[in-house]
């Protein structure tokens, strides 16, 4: 029946994801034969390949996997909550908040204030700053979400916070030194290759937590598709569900922004691509597919960012939008329609 | 079954309360179809949402209110990737946990609800491929799948053509009988309500609701007061026509052909009288014909064209 079709597409996506993951570990500035990848994975040899795989390629590939899954899940949650096709994980303003704090640390801290300079010199400085900024906006949003009645108001507040923080960042950019400015711009272009194992573990914990919360809200998410009045008449506690959905998205988007910078587009595009490929509105099917789709998309973009046999690596944001935009346009043209 | 005691309905903006209805003692009996009527903006939707527990009452109480009330609202369903079956299955959501797994007996309930509205052939269609009338039937099936003793519907026949309106109202009436449900329909479609409702709640415009069986409210003039009809005579069920031509016509005939001929003459501004110089006879067996001044006419438009020349 219809359900079997979903399983088939899910399986295809899982196979694609596995292949992309292997490719991401194998290909790069130095191509590693698959046999060496496998031996490097399963034996404790200390060959150069093994070193590259375990210290660089694996953390990077796992970061792609986690970040892609997190962003796509967050995007799906926001599109459903706001019933808005243009919503993404960044509509709550979290990545803007993170950007602001990173900008403060990178552009102001390094040059002047003692405390901030100490923070800035810490190896986790960007992660801490981004987490702090994200959490600040998150606290504001959760507090406000308890007072505003409808979701559209929440969406507008999120956009306003983004606008306000962006202008603060612009102000900081205007007054900062050019070398500090450059390190901020590089951060804002996103990166999946700078995480070590410890960071991957923290990111993994946050992503599993966020996706776990999202799964607990499947029933509410489905009911929200009918609008708030119908959802409430079906016994859904809207205020509580909204809080959990906001928390889930914040954890997901916040963690990814902290470790990888503001990665654009994946969260917006992947849920659409999934819905166009698998026409269902059931979040029980959409959530796992979006997570796998997001992971595949980011792995694919990372593959393109590492031009084979070159040492230069393009920023991930350049690729995500460049690949994602035509892909979504093509899918929409083919299906004539886009929906939430 | 729902009843209310001194219910006061409205909404709050800030610290001020806007009262739409007050002191309501209403009763929604099982097995009856009740039409809730009133002019636009009188607060029909607000009362419905209050009865459903979506809005808190300003004062008074509602007895028999379940947290799970089957509602059919005017809200548009924008989700497009959703099948008829999926939409009806939402009716069982109040009985599900977070995993959203339907048991075999729940699936049977959903399928039975789809059968009740006779949409079995469409159950795997996407809802955006349905007509407005079909979508309304799906929403009613969703309400049935919710298995509540009470169903509240807000303007379920709006945007439907006459045929679909009659279908929806007849379905609701037969459901109220067969399944012993209390069904409340907010509507402003007078003709349909008068002919199908077991009971009418009529918002009288002074924050009160008058209840009764439709015929009583017609005969005691309550409807006339509320609706302030402009050219519509409720007691005959017809639109009033002015005999602006000042020409009397005498009409002879029987049955429907007679009634429709009379209608056409009055609409065209003739006064159909007991006795007049112009005499028209309607013949109707298998084919209707009209005779006037010795000539036979095959259609009313021919007859009216000749009549206008006189």
């Amino acid at each position: 029946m219809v359900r079997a079709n979903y399983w088939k597409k899910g399986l295809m996506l899982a196979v694609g994801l596995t292949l992309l993951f292997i490719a991401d570990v194998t290909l790069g500035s130095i191509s590693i034969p698959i046999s060496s990848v496998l031996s490097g994975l399963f034996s404790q040899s200390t060959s150069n390949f093994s070193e590259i795989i375990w210290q660089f390629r694996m953390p990077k590939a796992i970061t792609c996997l986690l970040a892609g899954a997190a962003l796509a899940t967050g995007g799906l949650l926001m599109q459903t909550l706001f019933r808005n096709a243009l919503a993404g994980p960044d509509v709550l303003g979290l990545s803007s908040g993170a950007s602001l704090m990173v900008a403060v640390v990178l552009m102001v801290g390094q040059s002047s204030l003692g405390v901030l300079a100490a923070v800035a010199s810490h190896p986790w400085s960007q992660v801490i700053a981004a987490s702090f900024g994200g959490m600040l906006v998150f606290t504001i949003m959760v507090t406000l979400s308890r007072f505003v009645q409808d979701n559209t108001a929440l969406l507008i507040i999120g956009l306003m916070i983004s606008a306000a923080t962006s202008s603060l960042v612009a102000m900081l950019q205007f007054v900062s030194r050019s070398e500090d400015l450059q390190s901020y711009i590089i951060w804002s272009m996103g990166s999946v290759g700078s995480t070590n194992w410890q960071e991957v573990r923290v990111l993994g914990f946050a992503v599993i937590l966020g996706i776990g919360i999202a799964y607990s809200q499947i029933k509410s998410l489905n009911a929200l598709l009918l609008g708030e009045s119908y959802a409430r008449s079906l016994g859904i506690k809207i205020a509580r569900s909204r809080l959990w959905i906001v928390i889930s998205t914040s954890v997901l988007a916040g963690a990814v922004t902290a470790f990888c910078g503001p990665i654009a587009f994946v969260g917006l595009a992947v849920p659409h691509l999934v819905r166009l490929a698998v026409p269902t509105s059931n979040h029980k099917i959409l959530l796992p597919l979006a997570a796998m789709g997001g992971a595949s998309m980011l792995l694919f973009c990372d593959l393109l960012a590492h031009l084979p046999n070159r040492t230069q690596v393009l920023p991930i944001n350049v690729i995500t939008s460049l690949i994602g935009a035509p892909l979504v346009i093509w899918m929409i043209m083919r299906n004539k329609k886009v929906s939430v | 079954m729902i009843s209310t005691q001194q219910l006061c309905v409205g909404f709050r903006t800030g610290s001020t309360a806007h009262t739409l209805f007050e002191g309501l003692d209403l009763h929604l009996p099982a097995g009856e179809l009740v039409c809730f009527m009133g002019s636009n903006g009188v607060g029909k939707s607000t009362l419905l949402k209050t009865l459903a527990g979506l809005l808190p009452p300003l004062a008074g109480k509602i007895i028999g209110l379940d947290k799970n009330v089957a509602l059919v609202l005017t809200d548009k369903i924008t989700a497009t990737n959703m099948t008829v079956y999926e939409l009806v299955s939402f009716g069982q959501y109040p009985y599900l946990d977070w995993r959203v797994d339907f048991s075999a007996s729940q699936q049977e309930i959903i399928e039975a609800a789809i059968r009740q509205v006779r949409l079995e052939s469409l159950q795997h269609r996407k809802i955006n491929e349905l007509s407005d009338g079909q979508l309304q039937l799906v929403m009613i099936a969703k309400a049935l799948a919710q298995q509540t003793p009470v169903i509240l519907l807000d303007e379920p026949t709006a945007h439907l053509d006459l045929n679909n309106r009659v279908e929806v109202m007849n379905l609701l009436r037969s459901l109220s009988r067969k399944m012993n449900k209390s069904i409340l329909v907010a509507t402003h479609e007078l003709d349909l309500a008068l002919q199908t409702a077991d009971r009418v709640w009529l918002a009288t415009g002074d924050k009160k609701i008058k209840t009764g069986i439709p015929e009583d409210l017609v005969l005691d003039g309550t409807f006339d007061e509320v609706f302030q009809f402009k050219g519509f005579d409720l007691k005959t069920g017809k639109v009033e026509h002015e005999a602006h031509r000042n020409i009397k016509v005498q009409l002879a005939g029987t049955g429907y052909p007679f009634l429709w001929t009379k209608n056409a003459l009055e609409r065209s501004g003739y006064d159909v009288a007991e006795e007049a110089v112009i005499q028209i006879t309607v013949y109707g067996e298998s084919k209707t014909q009209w005779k006037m001044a010795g000539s036979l006419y095959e259609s009313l438009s021919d007859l009216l064209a000749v009549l206008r020349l006189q």
Side-chain angles (χ1 to χ4, degrees):
Chain A
M1 220 188 69
V2 192
R3 208 145 272 244
N5 193 17
Y6 296 151
W7 279 113
K8 213 168 83 185
K9 283 183 173 158
L11 199 67
M12 275 163 58
L13 195 53
V15 171
L17 177 60
T18 315
L19 291 176
L20 280 167
F21 188 87
I22 294 168
D24 197 54
V25 177
T26 320
L27 304 173
S29 52
I30 300 165
S31 287
I32 303 173
I34 292 189
S35 57
S36 306
V37 172
L38 293 175
S39 65
L41 280 178
F42 296 114
S43 64
Q44 289 298 316
S45 68
T46 48
S47 67
N48 284 341
F49 284 164
S50 172
E51 174 93 8
I52 291 171
I53 289 168
W54 280 107
Q55 293 311 311
F56 300 102
R57 299 275 175 87
M58 281 300 278
K60 186 194 68 174
I62 292 173
T63 303
C64 280
L65 195 79
L66 292 170
L71 291 171
T73 305
L76 179 63
L77 295 182
M78 289 299 99
Q79 287 172 8
T80 300
L81 179 67
F82 295 124
R83 290 208 285 167
N84 188 321
L86 287 176
D90 47 346
V91 290
L92 292 175
L94 262 85
S95 47
S96 312
S99 305
L100 177 62
M101 290 318 288
V102 170
V104 166
V105 167
L106 288 182
M107 293 193 270
V108 182
Q110 289 183 354
S111 47
S112 51
L113 297 167
V115 185
L116 279 173
V119 174
S121 61
H122 190 276
W124 283 57
S125 64
Q126 291 175 12
V127 172
I128 292 167
S131 310
F132 183 70
M135 274 192 292
L136 194 71
V137 175
F138 165 68
T139 315
I140 296 172
M141 289 304 284
V142 169
T143 314
L144 287 176
S145 78
R146 299 178 60 165
F147 292 106
V148 296
Q149 289 297 315
D150 63 317
N151 291 340
T152 317
L154 197 62
L155 179 63
I156 293 170
I157 290 169
L159 292 173
M160 291 304 110
I161 290 178
S162 297
T165 48
S166 304
S167 72
L168 283 175
V169 170
M171 197 170 76
L172 284 172
Q173 286 176 325
F174 186 70
V175 297
S176 62
R177 295 182 307 179
S178 56
E179 53 267 41
D180 296 340
L181 188 59
Q182 174 145 22
S183 53
Y184 171 75
I185 287 173
I186 288 172
W187 177 83
S188 73
M189 283 178 164
S191 152
V192 286
S194 55
T195 43
N196 58 37
W197 277 110
Q198 204 183 352
E199 291 171 323
V200 167
R201 244 172 264 142
V202 176
L203 180 63
F205 173 75
V207 170
I208 288 167
L209 178 71
I211 290 183
I213 297 172
Y215 271 83
S216 75
Q217 297 301 313
I218 287 176
K219 186 177 154 188
S220 312
L221 287 164
N222 280 350
L224 274 171
L225 289 174
L226 302 185
E228 286 187 44
S229 296
Y230 275 126
R232 287 178 58 201
S233 81
L234 295 170
I236 305 290
K237 306 253 184 317
I238 291 289
R240 202 164 68 188
S241 299
R242 181 166 61 184
L243 184 64
W244 281 116
I245 292 168
V246 167
I247 289 174
S248 167
T249 309
S250 303
V251 169
L252 292 170
V256 174
T257 312
F259 290 106
C260 310
I263 293 181
F265 213 77
V266 175
L268 172 71
V270 170
H272 286 302
L273 294 172
V274 166
R275 271 188 296 251
L276 289 168
V278 184
T280 177
S281 59
N282 188 352
H283 286 78
K284 207 173 173 177
I285 298 161
L286 285 175
L287 273 174
L289 290 184
M292 284 197 286
S296 306
M297 170 104 166
L298 207 54
L299 281 167
F300 181 64
C301 290
D302 184 54
L303 275 173
L304 293 178
H306 291 77
L307 301 168
N309 300 320
R310 296 262 182 85
T311 44
Q312 187 131 32
V313 180
L314 288 172
I316 193 82
N317 267 350
V318 174
I319 308 291
T320 52
S321 299
L322 216 55
I323 296 299
L327 204 58
V328 171
I329 293 172
W330 174 71
M331 290 287 273
I332 289 173
M333 296 304 282
R334 217 187 60 168
N335 287 274
K336 303 274 190 278
K337 164 173 328 146
V338 66
S339 60
V340 176
Chain B
M1 198 195 81
I2 289 185
S3 34
T4 69
Q5 274 177 7
Q6 289 298 306
L7 183 69
C8 183
V9 170
F11 53 92
R12 290 175 199 279
T13 42
S15 56
T16 49
H18 302 267
T19 310
L20 294 168
F21 295 106
E22 58 189 13
L24 299 181
D25 290 315
L26 297 167
H27 182 61
L28 194 60
E32 284 196 12
L33 174 67
V34 178
C35 279
F36 174 27
M37 310 202 58
S39 34
N40 283 329
V42 78
K44 293 195 290 284
S45 302
T46 311
L47 177 61
L48 234 59
K49 284 186 178 170
T50 309
L51 289 178
L54 297 188
L55 286 174
L58 295 180
K61 57 179 176 177
I62 303 166
I63 300 150
L65 173 65
D66 194 346
K67 278 203 187 77
N68 158 26
V69 174
L71 265 181
V72 176
L73 299 170
T74 48
D75 301 18
K76 196 151 174 44
I77 309 283
T78 49
T80 43
N81 279 338
M82 192 183 279
T83 64
V84 168
Y85 186 92
E86 280 176 320
L87 184 48
V88 176
S89 71
F90 276 105
Q92 280 290 311
Y93 263 49
Y95 314 108
L96 291 176
D97 64 9
W98 64 275
R99 284 167 300 188
V100 200
D101 278 327
F102 295 100
S103 70
S105 65
Q106 286 180 314
Q107 287 173 15
E108 178 47 43
I109 290 165
I110 294 161
E111 281 158 21
I114 294 172
R115 278 198 300 275
Q116 292 276 2
V117 300
R118 294 185 289 276
L119 284 182
E120 300 95 315
S121 57
L122 298 178
Q123 61 175 320
H124 296 299
R125 281 273 194 91
K126 292 275 182 324
I127 54 171
N128 57 328
E129 296 166 2
L130 301 181
S131 71
D132 286 347
Q134 289 166 336
L135 188 57
Q136 207 55 263
L137 293 178
V138 177
M139 294 314 294
I140 292 171
K142 185 228 75 172
L144 289 174
Q146 223 167 323
Q147 293 198 302
T148 53
V150 177
I151 302 179
L152 307 175
L153 304 97
D154 194 3
E155 300 281 359
T157 55
H159 313 300
L160 302 188
D161 61 25
L162 183 62
N163 211 9
N164 282 311
R165 288 200 324 241
V166 173
E167 184 186 9
V168 166
M169 291 304 283
N170 279 340
L171 174 70
L172 290 173
R173 190 169 58 164
S174 82
L175 289 173
S176 69
R177 304 265 154 81
K178 274 193 294 191
M179 312 182 76
N180 201 34
K181 285 181 187 288
S182 317
I183 300 186
L184 178 67
V185 179
T187 179
H188 55 243
E189 299 198 52
L190 193 61
D191 45 350
L192 220 51
L194 288 179
Q195 289 172 54
T196 49
D198 294 306
R199 191 177 293 270
V200 170
W201 293 3
L202 193 57
T204 47
D206 55 356
K207 299 183 180 175
K208 299 277 189 242
I209 290 175
K210 197 160 178 182
T211 66
I213 71 163
E215 291 77 7
D216 277 342
L217 296 180
V218 170
L219 294 172
D220 72 5
T222 312
F223 272 107
D224 292 309
E225 259 168 59
V226 172
F227 286 94
Q228 306 276 319
F229 296 112
K230 299 172 181 73
F232 178 75
D233 185 354
L234 188 66
K235 289 187 178 107
T236 60
K238 289 201 148 182
V239 176
E240 288 161 6
H241 296 292
E242 192 194 351
H244 58 84
R245 289 180 198 268
N246 271 327
I247 299 171
K248 287 190 176 178
V249 178
Q250 188 183 329
L251 186 63
T254 50
Y256 293 114
F258 174 81
L259 289 176
W260 284 108
T261 309
K262 186 166 180 264
N263 193 57
L265 289 168
E266 285 178 343
R267 184 166 44 78
S268 310
Y270 296 97
D271 184 2
V272 179
E274 297 283 317
E275 270 180 42
V277 183
I278 303 171
Q279 296 186 337
I280 300 170
T281 314
V282 187
Y283 298 95
E285 281 303 317
S286 56
K287 183 161 162 280
T288 311
Q289 285 182 318
W290 291 265
K291 192 176 175 188
M292 181 173 70
S295 314
L296 267 181
Y297 299 91
E298 297 291 316
S299 76
L300 268 172
S301 88
D302 292 346
L303 176 78
L304 288 173
V306 173
L307 199 55
R308 253 179 236 124
L309 296 174
Q310 296 192 351

